[in-house]
Amino acid sequence: AQSVTQPDIHITVSEGASLELRCNYSYGATPYLFWYVQSPGQGLQLLLKYFSGDTLVQGIKGFEAEFKRSQSSFNLRKPSVHWSDAAEYFCAVAFSGTYKYIFGTGTRLKVLA
Amino acid sequence: ETGVTQSPTHLIKTRGQQVTLRCSSQSGHNTVSWYQQALGQGPQFIFQYYREEENGRGNFPPRFSGLQFPNYSSELNVNALELDDSALYLCASSSFRGPNYGYTFGSGTRLTVV
């Protein structure tokens, strides 16, 4: 079955530190890949997406993600975290010919001042 | 441009009751999807509507049903509510039937079943 794994349930970083959130998927074909952010009580905001081409994609708010086919991974990174980045982050995949996202269980980010 | 608007933002229902949640899609979007997000979990796909027809369905029982209207707004109906139906219900719209370009999500309706 298709699945998305976000191995880190919680991550705490200091403001100004770098960040990497991990995402792995299980499926033979290359999916469409997404990262969403959810602030408390809010819906999901799209940070970035990957369909094909350059495996390093840039998103909003200074985030980037790298697709590694050999590792079935799509990790999210930010060089310097801001206190406003504290939120929950979801990795999602979708496949050509289907209509739905498959989401990971999320990583909750806490930022220390 | 307007975003995706969901109503109500919160509601409390009793087990066995029925509930209707509403979603106004973003202007120009003809596809609406509904997701259920239980506490501490990622969203789970319920179903999608494209041009007023159900276009795909996740692993949810028939008591979860929906509608899409000519203006592309949508409703999610849940009958015979169970305690496990307590969740955040998210609506997402897109101008494409497939997920390729990313969906725009609303802020959700928090449903509590007691």
Side-chain angles (χ1 to χ4, degrees):
Chain A
Q2 303 154 354
S3 66
V4 177
T5 302
Q6 293 182 248
D8 304 306
I9 299 174
H10 294 95
I11 283 185
T12 300
V13 298
S14 297
E15 191 170 21
S18 63
L19 172 70
E20 182 170 24
L21 303 182
R22 296 182 290 166
C23 173
N24 293 91
Y25 65 92
S26 65
Y27 191 68
T30 298
Y32 304 117
L33 297 157
F34 306 84
W35 275 98
Y36 280 87
V37 60
Q38 186 177 38
S39 299
Q42 300 298 311
L44 300 169
Q45 181 183 22
L46 179 65
L47 287 175
L48 46 77
K49 58 195 177 205
Y50 172 80
F51 302 141
S52 63
D54 192 347
T55 57
L56 183 64
V57 294
Q58 303 297 321
I60 63 171
K61 304 185 179 186
F63 285 93
E64 66 178 27
E66 185 173 13
F67 169 59
K68 293 185 177 180
R69 186 189 307 273
S70 61
Q71 298 176 18
S72 297
S73 70
F74 188 57
N75 293 349
L76 182 71
R77 301 194 295 245
K78 187 169 185 178
S80 178
V81 170
H82 188 263
W83 64 266
S84 61
D85 293 324
E88 187 146 26
Y89 291 79
F90 291 94
C91 179
V93 303
F95 300 93
S96 178
T98 69
Y99 314 110
K100 64 178 183 181
Y101 286 142
I102 300 170
F103 283 90
T105 52
T107 297
R108 184 169 296 279
L109 174 65
K110 181 177 179 180
V111 180
L112 301 176
Chain B
E1 67 184 12
T2 59
V4 176
T5 305
Q6 293 188 242
S7 62
T9 55
H10 298 82
L11 76 165
I12 300 173
K13 289 287 189 177
T14 302
R15 189 171 51 182
Q17 286 187 314
Q18 179 266 344
V19 68
T20 297
L21 310 181
R22 295 178 175 83
C23 172
S24 294
S25 58
Q26 182 168 313
S27 177
H29 286 186
N30 56 16
T31 302
V32 172
S33 300
W34 286 91
Y35 286 79
Q36 180 197 66
Q37 186 179 14
L39 198 62
Q41 299 296 316
Q44 299 287 320
F45 175 72
I46 303 175
F47 43 57
Q48 182 186 82
Y49 279 83
Y50 172 69
R51 293 185 176 178
E52 303 179 55
E53 292 192 1
E54 188 178 291
N55 194 39
R57 189 177 183 92
N59 189 27
F60 281 81
R63 59 189 185 83
F64 286 78
S65 63
L67 284 172
Q68 187 180 32
F69 300 100
N71 66 355
Y72 303 130
S73 65
S74 177
E75 287 182 353
L76 165 65
N77 299 290
V78 187
N79 294 321
L81 283 166
E82 301 176 359
L83 297 179
D84 285 348
D85 295 333
S86 295
L88 180 68
Y89 288 85
L90 295 166
C91 172
S93 74
S94 171
S95 54
F96 298 91
R97 188 164 57 169
N100 313 32
Y101 295 90
Y103 292 129
T104 300
F105 282 83
S107 297
T109 294
R110 173 75 62 187
L111 172 65
T112 302
V113 182
V114 298

